[in-house]
Amino acid sequence: MTGGVLLTALFLAAAGAAAKPPSDTPANAAAPSRVPSAPAYDMPAFDLQDGDDTEAQPLVLPTLMGPTGAPFGMTPPAPDAAPQAAPQTPGVGSPGYVAPFQMVPGQPVAAAPAKIEAPGPKTPDRFIVPVPRLRLEGESVSRGWVTWFTQQEVERPATLLIGYLNAIYVMPERSRMRVTINGQLVAEIAIASPQGATQVTAAIPAGVLRAGGNLIRIDMLAVHRTDCSVESTYDLWVELDNALTGVAFAGGPVPPPVMVDDLPAVGVDVRGSTHIRFIHNGPIEPHHSAHFLAAAQALTQRGRYSHPIVSIVGPDVGPAGPGTLNVIVGMPEDLRAAMANPPALVGGQPMVRFFNESRAGGTVLVLAGETPRSIDAAIDRLAASSGQSEPNKLAISSRFAPDAPYFTGAGSVRFSELGVMTQEFSGRRLQLRFPIGLPADFYGSANGQARILLDAAYAPSVRPGSVLSVYVNGSLASSYMLTDRHGGLMERKVIKVPLTHFRAGLNRVWIEVMLDVDSDQICGPGATLAHDKRFVVFDSSEFVMDNFARIGTSPNLAAFFGGGFPYFNSAQPVAVVMRQDKPTVAAAATVLARLSFAQDRIASVDTAPTPASLASRPVLFIGEINQIAPEVLRQVGVVEASKIRWRTDRQGEKGVPSPAPVFWGAGDTAPPEPMAMLEQGVRVRSGSGNDAIFDRWRDQVAAGSNISAELLHFQKWVTGTFGFSLGLPDGGDVDPFNPPHNTSVLVAQGFAPNSDAVWTLIAGHTAESLDAAINEFTLPEYWAKTYGQAVAFDAANGRMDIRMPSSVRFIVTQPLGPSNLRLIAANWLSLNIVTYALVLVLCCIAFAFVTSLLLRRSGRRA
């Protein structure tokens, strides 16, 4: 009996020892005394993510060399080894990006230079995660972005804080997360936090942080515990806890920026947003709102804020929170009303300067002048040297590094310039991600194409049937089967990518390779720790864009949100029609600030347009749905009954009073401004009631005829079967868009009466709810997905109901030369197949007729 107990005890002890991680890679990843430096490379692997950031790209896999000269992770540095000097890398202006590390499943890694905080988590002095939710998913993942620091911050000792949670399927003994700053290794962490968020800390070596832009990069390798299938790779993820992730400085938070050049160092809050807080005392006049809208654009450009949120508050608001910039804009009387010690304006010169203001709770940026014109000069001075990005680039590095290439026509870009470096991959699912920017007048989705010239190879162990797919904005665009049984070498392999899913603005492109290997089918013990390289892609590969048509189309919300079209392309100031209250003006400023991001220019605004001018110029209507004139809703294709339904829905909410009726008859008194302007300036003239009824019945009877009905039935069948429209008339006007009752933000686009001027409506239940919901809607993951003629956005769950336009109008933006006209015609005919077929038939008939005439004149009779 005693021997049995002894054997049992020995067995349990052996099992416990086997369950412990190896001594060289402890689960808690204790920090060593030395932090080896990582070598610098030209560019990082780029991972463009969207939505809730649940997708990421595999690691770039170079071999890192440790201090002893051996591959990094194979021979840890000796405890008494002298630390290496941090190599100098270029600044953000010409970034010396570092490639992520090579980590093959099953390969040993160095001990993690980070430690888990036992007493309790620390609160960062600077939050650094630029998105509301950063989730790295897959076997090998990389994500980088640029964060700005001031000179005061880089002079202090700093500690990196990383809070994270991972999936339970991740094997902690072989899974690692690595953090580098400007190419220097700062922390390497064993991924072992499936039960809840864990915070790890690592001292940032002196000299790593720089004044200005700093590239922060997180690389992850995740190994599945038991499963070898491709499907199991979707179970591997690590999610950062924004509230526990950031930088802590010795002595506490550093004072906020006090120089205009340090505006990017304002940073972000816990959700990755930057708050621009205008301090204003008293009512808002049209010239105030015009300055707020212009200043918000200038600050967004100068500060490189990827998600600006604008608010307008009164004085005595208290200290600013993280990622918040206090701003006062106005003339001397505005400064006296908002500041305890207003500065004096000298010589009538515009002022752009920081001050320490007690009523603002700290530092405040003052944009002032003695006249409205001098205030405009101050705002222009602020934006004059924004320099967001290089030419032919979209500035997105504050959220995803590097910046995106911007194509205005035919061109090519190497993978190395896209941030995709040479990678050897030994896993099961590889993703290569990069962004592509297109102009607002892009018109080639039905006819154009791009090509990927791929330099890659796959091992003989890869079974035929493995697939290489190309996705654009979440939709499958192209697919290629790996068919060789003994491996394959692809040199400049052409993979055609139709431009069907591309649209104006930023586009997300990724290549996904799913590798099928015999050993994964068996999945024996230790099979998840694969060593053999299965696939390699070389950075000499290229993305080639063919020439495409350039002409603006409206309604087109993708062009509006992607490039501010046509408002940022118009020589006239943007007419903004809204009520002059704080929530509405703040919502309008947030929208325009978001539109100006990466545009490198400020759209001038007119917040007091004359009623007569509205019918012939682009107009932005923004505000509460019940304050929008029925004629505006009619022009942008929104059902008028939505006003009644939204008002009824709001009455059921606690604390929401029933609003006064907003439909005015002939005997009612004129509504207050600006609604009186709307009613007088945009009313559509119509005929008598009998004429309108006759027109409606004529359309109904025409649509009900046998021929029309059969054609419409045939068009519906073709659309449902093949996914395209024949372009046949629908027999009458399309029903107006009826937004769901839970809509938070309604965006719709149409035309002014009797002209081609574009009108855009942005509306919400109330001004306050619109201001709150627009902050969520302007997040890049929602902003970049908006297209069509109308969109209803539900802020509660992020759902978007999209209405496609029934017809579009062209707006000339480029010279209509022969090449551009040919491309426009080819794209238009591809969208209108029936017309294309009729043109071909007519051409054939004409050719036959001409041939017959020639034969009669010159041919011989039998």
Side-chain angles (χ1 to χ4, degrees), residues 736-748:
F737 181 59
N738 193 1
H741 70 279
N742 56 352
T743 299
S744 304
V745 178
L746 170 65
V747 185

Side-chain angles (χ1 to χ4, degrees), residues 119-187:
K122 294 182 179 179
T123 301
D125 296 324
R126 281 282 303 275
F127 296 110
I128 61 173
V129 181
V131 292
R133 186 186 183 201
L134 178 54
R135 197 178 196 192
L136 310 176
E137 184 179 277
E139 294 172 293
S140 52
V141 186
S142 180
R143 174 68 183 269
W145 65 91
V146 176
T147 298
W148 277 258
F149 293 95
T150 65
Q151 184 64 39
Q152 288 181 292
E153 289 174 327
V154 302
E155 291 175 353
R156 288 197 188 182
T159 301
L160 178 67
L161 311 177
I162 299 291
Y164 75 98
L165 173 70
N166 61 269
I168 196 172
Y169 300 100
V170 177
M171 181 186 295
E173 294 85 359
R174 297 297 184 184
S175 302
R176 293 292 182 269
M177 183 166 57
R178 191 179 195 187
V179 184
T180 60
I181 300 179
N182 295 325
Q184 306 304 307
L185 175 65
V186 176

Side-chain angles (χ1 to χ4, degrees), residues 355-535:
F355 291 92
N356 192 12
E357 172 57 37
S358 59
R359 298 187 69 183
T363 304
V364 62
L365 175 63
V366 175
L367 305 175
E370 291 186 347
T371 63
R373 186 179 297 273
S374 61
I375 297 176
D376 294 335
I379 296 173
D380 292 339
R381 179 187 298 179
L382 177 66
S385 58
S386 60
Q388 276 212 73
S389 62
E390 304 174 13
N392 299 323
K393 293 283 187 179
L394 286 182
I396 60 172
S397 61
S398 59
R399 194 175 181 90
F400 310 100
D403 290 338
Y406 185 74
F407 288 94
T408 57
S412 65
V413 58
R414 290 169 59 96
F415 275 22
S416 58
E417 300 174 66
L418 293 169
V420 179
M421 307 304 293
T422 299
Q423 305 183 35
E424 292 181 283
F425 183 65
S426 60
R428 297 153 185 85
R429 181 171 60 97
L430 171 65
Q431 285 187 328
L432 309 171
R433 294 174 172 268
F434 51 88
I436 296 296
L438 294 175
D441 58 353
F442 164 73
Y443 185 67
S445 59
N447 180 257
Q449 76 171 14
R451 289 167 289 140
I452 294 177
L453 306 182
L454 188 64
D455 293 334
Y458 55 96
S461 59
V462 176
R463 299 171 59 182
S466 299
V467 183
L468 186 151
S469 303
V470 180
Y471 292 84
V472 177
N473 294 322
S475 300
L476 179 63
S478 183
S479 185
Y480 174 75
M481 300 291 292
L482 307 181
T483 57
D484 292 344
R485 295 182 177 275
H486 304 289
L489 180 64
M490 295 179 282
E491 297 183 78
R492 316 299 286 175
K493 176 64 180 178
V494 178
I495 301 176
K496 296 181 180 180
V497 183
L499 299 185
T500 305
H501 304 291
F502 283 84
R503 53 179 175 260
L506 190 66
N507 296 268
R508 301 170 297 120
V509 182
W510 68 87
I511 303 172
E512 181 175 81
V513 185
M514 292 189 176
L515 302 174
D516 185 10
V517 180
D518 286 329
S519 59
D520 291 342
Q521 302 297 321
I522 302 172
C523 199
T528 59
L529 307 177
H531 295 269
D532 297 335
K533 309 287 193 303
R534 301 178 176 180
F535 191 88

Side-chain angles (χ1 to χ4, degrees), residues 54 133-139 164-173 175-177 190-198 220-226 231-240:
T54 58
R133 186 186 183 201
L134 178 54
R135 197 178 196 192
L136 310 176
E137 184 179 277
E139 294 172 293
Y164 75 98
L165 173 70
N166 61 269
I168 196 172
Y169 300 100
V170 177
M171 181 186 295
E173 294 85 359
S175 302
R176 293 292 182 269
M177 183 166 57
I191 303 175
S193 183
Q195 304 299 327
T198 299
M220 182 196 78
L221 168 77
V223 178
H224 203 283
R225 291 178 181 268
T226 58
E231 291 76 13
S232 68
T233 62
Y234 295 94
D235 297 330
L236 304 175
W237 55 265
V238 171
E239 184 172 326
L240 296 189

Side-chain angles (χ1 to χ4, degrees), residues 287-288 291 329-336 345 367-372 374-375:
H287 70 274
H288 290 137
H291 290 147
V329 182
M331 293 183 287
E333 56 270 23
D334 300 312
L335 303 185
R336 288 191 294 269
L345 301 179
L367 305 175
E370 291 186 347
T371 63
S374 61
I375 297 176

Side-chain angles (χ1 to χ4, degrees), residues 75 244 518 532 624 654 676 678 692 724 729 775 781 795:
T75 305
L244 301 178
D518 286 329
D532 297 335
E624 179 181 344
K654 182 178 180 180
L678 287 177
F724 59 83
N775 298 339
E781 47 262 39

